[in-house]
Amino acid sequence: MKKKVLHTLLSVTFGIGILAASDSSVHVSANEQNSKQEVNVKNLYVIAFQNELPQDYREIIEKAGGEVVKTIPEIGGVEAQSGHSSFLQNLSKLTSIEAANREIPLALNDPTAKLSAQQDSTVNQTEPESYWDNQWDMQRVTNNGKSYEIETGGYTDKDGETVHKAVVGVIDTGIDMSHPDLKNNIVGGRNLVPAGIDESETGDPNDIKDRNGHGTNVAGIIAANGKVKGVGPELGIRSYRVISGQGFAMPAWVIDAIMAAADDNVDVINMSLRLYNNTKMIIEGTTYKTAAETILWKRAIQYAVNNGVTVVAGSGNESLNLDDKNQVNKFLNMIYEPYGIKVEGAATAVPAQLPGVINVSASIKWSTRELAFYSNYGNSAIDVAGPGGDLGPEFAETFDPETADQSCLIFNTWPTYLGSSYNYMAGTSMATPQVAGVAGVVKAANPQFTPAQVTARIKQTALDYGKIGQDPLFGAGEANAYRALNNIK
């Protein structure tokens, strides 16, 4: 019964995301090779060519009845739009194309949103010199700040400038460039949201302004250095904005961001986002395979790993056993049914369950035996856990808002122009940057480490919560910066 109630609660936030995306008639202006065609997000497709893009890829797409919107040439990827019902069938006849499928939007889904204006104003009115006492998560991950004595991710040079020994790419909603706790650690970024999603979206590649708050909070957990602290207070942050102010993104934008981050020589990628790829999706009676999307996700992640990037992603907030494909599909079909969508075949949480990615579940303040009530899990799925927070033990048992304990949430940075400079959040979105921050400081202290070595160090030194050894909830355990830097196994 408890699981049924939980899935009903989660379906509210998840369903809103699907509604905003799949029922949207929003048109966006594409910028592929300076073109300005109008793009309907309902008619977008992902295409994976066999190898690299052929010289006549544009002609191939046009003959099949589509228009090119975005290219990712390093991995043979194309995002295209088409209003022709025969588009996929036409592409399936071409030997140069490995797979193609309809593109399904990705939507943010955190189990707790930002707190009320009254609670935010309380944060603002208090204005202490430090909020360290509010950061139970950071106290735990850094062993009460002792990891800072070993590695912060950078140092201050003789001119008083911060030198970053490692950089974390945050693929998210953007960042507050002027936040006092973040601005010294922001080393740039890129916008991959096209023009026209809403009036604020112009397609400017330099527009990484966070319209949501999610990305700024994630960045703070990694590298805040002010009234709140991150895991690596002197790590560099490079922001890749892929999620619009409406809270959704197309997978091709995220895949493109992975490639961009790898080309920008970041050391770690944080993706506090997820979607589910099924081998078959039926939309309004038409069957689509998601092979192309999966192929391009895998190619992009492999490209990043081959370029020395450690990739970290969240497992998701649906309280699902990711090893149980029937349970996952049952849940997805419950959510998708009102929108004329049905899924079949094996489901994969993307990008978290793909090879080369550290898959993170969410641990909590008050127990080392239980996960956060919302966190996904699975024996073959989870690598490690990170503090994700929740609303306390009574809420986890009853889901009664009257029992909510905000001190069990994760407290960190928030865009200064969205009502408060700091905020409480929870989710695998908050757990993931804890682990990405640990990866960042490990890389800073060991610049010769490969992604496999960074991953092994994090897993081998994690605090062994739950059952002894690898388990379905915590994987190898909760990631810990102090233990990782000291190689305590």
Side-chain angles (χ1 to χ4, degrees):
M1 179 64 183
K2 183 176 177 181
K3 180 78 71 174
K4 183 176 179 181
V5 172
L6 173 59
H7 281 180
T8 302
L9 289 170
L10 289 169
S11 72
V12 175
T13 53
F14 192 74
I16 289 172
I18 294 298
L19 178 63
S22 66
D23 282 1
S24 174
S25 59
V26 170
H27 287 67
V28 302
S29 298
N31 232 340
E32 204 274 328
Q33 293 190 353
N34 298 319
S35 65
K36 287 290 182 179
Q37 76 263 39
E38 290 295 302
V39 179
N40 188 329
V41 297
K42 292 181 68 175
N43 295 323
L44 289 176
Y45 296 82
V46 177
I47 301 159
F49 281 83
Q50 290 286 358
N51 295 298
E52 61 187 30
L53 291 184
Q55 291 185 348
D56 60 343
Y57 72 89
R58 185 182 298 278
E59 183 180 350
I60 290 172
I61 301 301
E62 290 175 354
K63 282 186 176 180
E67 294 178 90
V68 174
V69 174
K70 179 189 288 290
T71 61
I72 314 174
E74 299 91 341
I75 57 172
V78 170
E79 182 183 46
Q81 67 166 343
S82 177
H84 296 280
S85 59
S86 61
F87 182 57
L88 283 179
Q89 184 178 1
N90 294 339
L91 292 176
S92 68
K93 301 173 183 177
L94 303 174
T95 58
S96 61
I97 292 177
E98 185 169 349
N101 63 260
R102 175 92 169 264
E103 196 172 13
I104 304 299
L106 174 155
L108 284 179
N109 174 30
D110 281 321
T112 60
K114 93 181 182 72
L115 299 181
S116 68
Q118 181 178 1
Q119 288 168 313
D120 283 340
S121 65
T122 301
V123 171
N124 284 332
Q125 290 167 8
T126 306
E127 288 296 329
E129 288 300 311
S130 171
Y131 286 114
W132 182 251
D133 289 344
N134 298 63
Q135 293 190 272
W136 65 267
D137 58 315
M138 213 54 59
Q139 294 172 31
R140 203 154 83 184
V141 171
T142 67
N143 199 1
N144 291 316
K146 289 182 180 178
S147 67
Y148 299 151
E149 298 171 10
I150 305 168
E151 184 60 72
T152 61
Y155 60 90
T156 303
D157 66 16
K158 61 181 181 180
D159 298 320
E161 298 293 324
T162 301
V163 177
H164 306 291
K165 295 167 64 178
V167 175
V168 180
V170 178
I171 298 177
D172 214 289
T173 63
I175 197 166
D176 178 0
M177 293 281 288
S178 64
H179 197 290
D181 293 15
L182 293 173
K183 61 183 181 181
N184 290 337
N185 288 339
I186 300 172
V187 298
R190 191 181 308 185
N191 170 40
L192 295 106
V193 179
I197 290 292
D198 58 40
E199 292 182 357
S200 73
E201 299 290 1
T202 65
D204 179 359
N206 298 313
D207 178 11
I208 57 174
K209 180 180 179 180
D210 187 356
R211 294 143 168 82
N212 176 283
H214 190 272
T216 298
N217 189 263
V218 166
I221 293 169
I222 296 168
N225 194 9
K227 291 186 177 182
V228 295
K229 294 292 185 183
V231 179
E234 292 180 305
L235 286 169
I237 292 289
R238 189 175 288 273
S239 174
Y240 298 87
R241 191 167 74 88
V242 298
I243 301 175
S244 72
Q246 295 182 357
F248 76 91
M250 304 308 289
W253 307 350
V254 184
I255 293 168
D256 199 11
I258 296 171
M259 303 297 295
D263 288 341
D264 289 338
N265 297 313
V266 304
D267 298 286
V268 179
I269 287 175
N270 184 97
M271 287 185 281
S272 291
L273 47 83
R274 68 91 199 88
L275 53 77
Y276 292 94
N277 275 5
N278 289 76
T279 54
K280 185 186 294 184
M281 182 170 282
I282 303 168
I283 304 176
E284 297 175 350
T286 302
T287 299
Y288 299 93
K289 294 182 179 180
T290 57
E293 222 167 78
T294 303
I295 288 167
L296 294 180
W297 277 108
K298 288 181 177 179
R299 289 179 183 175
I301 290 166
Q302 191 59 54
Y303 182 89
V305 171
N306 289 346
N307 280 274
V309 184
T310 302
V311 183
V312 188
S315 63
N317 300 324
E318 289 75 50
S319 189
L320 296 171
N321 179 356
L322 297 178
D323 288 340
D324 187 342
K325 303 305 180 184
N326 289 330
Q327 184 193 78
V328 175
N329 282 356
K330 183 178 180 180
F331 175 69
L332 293 176
N333 281 321
M334 178 184 72
I335 301 304
Y336 289 150
E337 183 180 11
Y339 312 109
I341 300 174
K342 182 180 179 180
V343 297
E344 295 179 355
T348 302
V350 176
Q353 279 189 280
L354 296 178
V357 180
I358 301 176
N359 187 353
V360 182
S361 62
S363 53
I364 50 179
K365 178 181 181 180
W366 50 272
S367 175
T368 60
R369 306 295 297 176
E370 296 182 39
L371 277 185
F373 70 88
Y374 52 80
S375 182
N376 287 346
Y377 57 98
N379 200 51
S380 69
I382 302 303
D383 292 303
V384 291
D390 70 351
L391 290 166
E394 290 188 58
F395 182 87
E397 183 64 32
T398 65
F399 299 119
D400 179 1
E402 294 296 322
T403 68
D405 179 359
Q406 75 172 31
S407 72
C408 294
L409 295 167
I410 305 299
F411 188 76
N412 217 290
T413 49
W414 192 255
T416 54
Y417 44 82
L418 292 183
S420 174
S421 298
Y422 307 94
N423 198 15
Y424 289 97
M425 296 283 284
T428 55
S429 284
M430 285 65 250
T432 304
Q434 312 271 4
V435 179
V438 175
V441 295
V442 167
K443 181 66 174 180
N446 304 275
Q448 77 283 5
F449 272 19
T450 65
Q453 289 173 309
V454 172
T455 301
R457 175 64 67 87
I458 292 171
K459 294 175 70 173
Q460 290 168 2
T461 60
L463 287 163
D464 190 10
Y465 290 172
K467 295 180 180 179
I468 296 175
Q470 181 81 20
D471 71 74
L473 304 184
F474 301 93
E478 186 183 80
N480 185 275
Y482 180 78
R483 290 170 62 90
L485 290 169
N486 283 292
N487 198 21
I488 300 173
K489 299 178 181 178

